[in-house]
Short mmCIF file of all heavy atoms in Angstrom, two decimals:
data_model
loop_
_atom_site.label_atom_id
_atom_site.label_comp_id
_atom_site.label_asym_id
_atom_site.label_seq_id
_atom_site.Cartn_x
_atom_site.Cartn_y
_atom_site.Cartn_z
N GLU A 289 21.54 11.73 9.42
CA GLU A 289 21.50 10.29 9.65
C GLU A 289 20.04 9.76 9.76
O GLU A 289 19.67 8.74 9.28
CB GLU A 289 22.31 9.92 10.85
CG GLU A 289 23.81 10.01 10.72
CD GLU A 289 24.29 9.19 9.59
OE1 GLU A 289 24.23 7.93 9.63
OE2 GLU A 289 24.88 9.74 8.62
N LEU A 292 18.59 9.81 6.41
CA LEU A 292 19.05 8.72 5.56
C LEU A 292 18.36 7.40 5.98
O LEU A 292 17.89 6.65 5.11
CB LEU A 292 20.54 8.56 5.73
CG LEU A 292 21.22 7.26 5.24
CD1 LEU A 292 21.06 7.13 3.72
CD2 LEU A 292 22.72 7.20 5.61
N TYR A 314 22.47 4.13 -2.57
CA TYR A 314 22.21 5.37 -1.90
C TYR A 314 22.76 5.30 -0.54
O TYR A 314 23.30 6.36 0.04
CB TYR A 314 20.70 5.75 -1.90
CG TYR A 314 20.34 7.03 -1.23
CD1 TYR A 314 20.42 8.15 -1.97
CD2 TYR A 314 19.85 7.02 0.12
CE1 TYR A 314 20.07 9.37 -1.36
CE2 TYR A 314 19.57 8.25 0.64
CZ TYR A 314 19.68 9.38 -0.02
OH TYR A 314 19.32 10.64 0.51
N PHE A 315 22.61 4.17 0.16
CA PHE A 315 23.06 4.06 1.54
C PHE A 315 24.59 4.17 1.63
O PHE A 315 25.18 4.83 2.51
CB PHE A 315 22.65 2.77 2.15
CG PHE A 315 23.17 2.45 3.48
CD1 PHE A 315 22.58 3.05 4.65
CD2 PHE A 315 24.25 1.65 3.66
CE1 PHE A 315 23.12 2.81 5.86
CE2 PHE A 315 24.74 1.34 4.93
CZ PHE A 315 24.15 1.99 6.04
N LEU A 316 25.29 3.55 0.69
CA LEU A 316 26.76 3.60 0.72
C LEU A 316 27.25 4.99 0.42
O LEU A 316 28.26 5.44 1.09
CB LEU A 316 27.34 2.62 -0.37
CG LEU A 316 27.03 1.11 -0.14
CD1 LEU A 316 27.50 0.27 -1.24
CD2 LEU A 316 27.74 0.67 1.23
N VAL A 317 26.73 5.71 -0.52
CA VAL A 317 27.12 7.03 -0.86
C VAL A 317 26.85 7.95 0.31
O VAL A 317 27.71 8.79 0.73
CB VAL A 317 26.43 7.58 -2.14
CG1 VAL A 317 26.67 8.98 -2.31
CG2 VAL A 317 26.87 6.77 -3.37
N GLN A 318 25.69 7.90 0.87
CA GLN A 318 25.35 8.81 1.99
C GLN A 318 26.14 8.46 3.22
O GLN A 318 26.47 9.35 4.05
CB GLN A 318 23.86 8.71 2.29
CG GLN A 318 22.95 9.16 1.12
CD GLN A 318 23.11 10.66 0.83
OE1 GLN A 318 23.27 11.46 1.66
NE2 GLN A 318 23.23 10.93 -0.44
N ALA A 319 26.44 7.20 3.45
CA ALA A 319 27.30 6.79 4.60
C ALA A 319 28.73 7.36 4.45
O ALA A 319 29.36 7.87 5.41
CB ALA A 319 27.34 5.30 4.74
N LEU A 320 29.32 7.37 3.23
CA LEU A 320 30.56 8.01 2.96
C LEU A 320 30.56 9.48 3.31
O LEU A 320 31.46 10.10 3.85
CB LEU A 320 31.02 7.78 1.53
CG LEU A 320 32.32 8.40 1.08
CD1 LEU A 320 33.43 7.98 1.95
CD2 LEU A 320 32.56 8.14 -0.41
N GLY A 321 29.42 10.20 2.84
CA GLY A 321 29.29 11.63 3.09
C GLY A 321 29.18 11.89 4.59
O GLY A 321 29.84 12.89 5.12
N SER A 322 28.41 11.01 5.28
CA SER A 322 28.33 11.23 6.78
C SER A 322 29.64 10.97 7.46
O SER A 322 29.91 11.67 8.51
CB SER A 322 27.21 10.22 7.30
OG SER A 322 25.99 10.52 6.70
N ALA A 323 30.40 10.09 7.01
CA ALA A 323 31.75 9.78 7.60
C ALA A 323 32.70 11.02 7.46
O ALA A 323 33.44 11.43 8.34
CB ALA A 323 32.34 8.59 7.00
N LEU A 324 32.60 11.60 6.25
CA LEU A 324 33.40 12.83 6.04
C LEU A 324 32.92 14.00 6.88
O LEU A 324 33.80 14.82 7.32
CB LEU A 324 33.35 13.21 4.50
CG LEU A 324 34.05 12.29 3.59
CD1 LEU A 324 33.83 12.76 2.13
CD2 LEU A 324 35.57 12.21 3.84
N ILE A 325 31.59 14.08 7.13
CA ILE A 325 31.11 15.19 8.00
C ILE A 325 31.59 14.98 9.38
O ILE A 325 32.10 15.91 10.02
CB ILE A 325 29.65 15.24 7.87
CG1 ILE A 325 29.14 15.71 6.53
CG2 ILE A 325 29.01 16.18 8.94
CD1 ILE A 325 27.63 15.72 6.32
N ILE A 326 31.48 13.77 9.97
CA ILE A 326 31.89 13.62 11.33
C ILE A 326 33.35 13.64 11.55
O ILE A 326 33.86 13.80 12.65
CB ILE A 326 31.29 12.16 11.76
CG1 ILE A 326 31.14 12.16 13.32
CG2 ILE A 326 32.21 11.03 11.30
CD1 ILE A 326 29.99 13.08 13.79
N ALA A 345 31.80 16.83 1.51
CA ALA A 345 30.87 15.84 2.02
C ALA A 345 29.47 16.27 1.71
O ALA A 345 28.61 15.41 1.32
CB ALA A 345 31.07 15.62 3.47
N LEU A 348 28.67 15.81 -1.95
CA LEU A 348 28.42 14.41 -2.17
C LEU A 348 27.04 14.03 -1.87
O LEU A 348 26.39 13.22 -2.59
CB LEU A 348 29.45 13.59 -1.43
CG LEU A 348 29.33 12.02 -1.55
CD1 LEU A 348 29.63 11.65 -2.97
CD2 LEU A 348 30.35 11.33 -0.58
N LYS A 349 26.54 14.43 -0.67
CA LYS A 349 25.19 14.14 -0.33
C LYS A 349 24.17 14.76 -1.23
O LYS A 349 23.08 14.25 -1.47
CB LYS A 349 24.91 14.56 1.12
CG LYS A 349 25.50 13.64 2.21
CD LYS A 349 25.21 14.05 3.57
CE LYS A 349 25.48 13.04 4.57
NZ LYS A 349 24.52 11.90 4.50
#
Side-chain angles (χ1 to χ4, degrees):
E289 289 300 300
L292 167 63
Y314 183 81
F315 176 78
L316 293 176
V317 171
Q318 298 296 316
L320 177 59
S322 300
L324 290 176
I325 291 176
I326 206 66
L348 177 63
K349 282 183 165 292

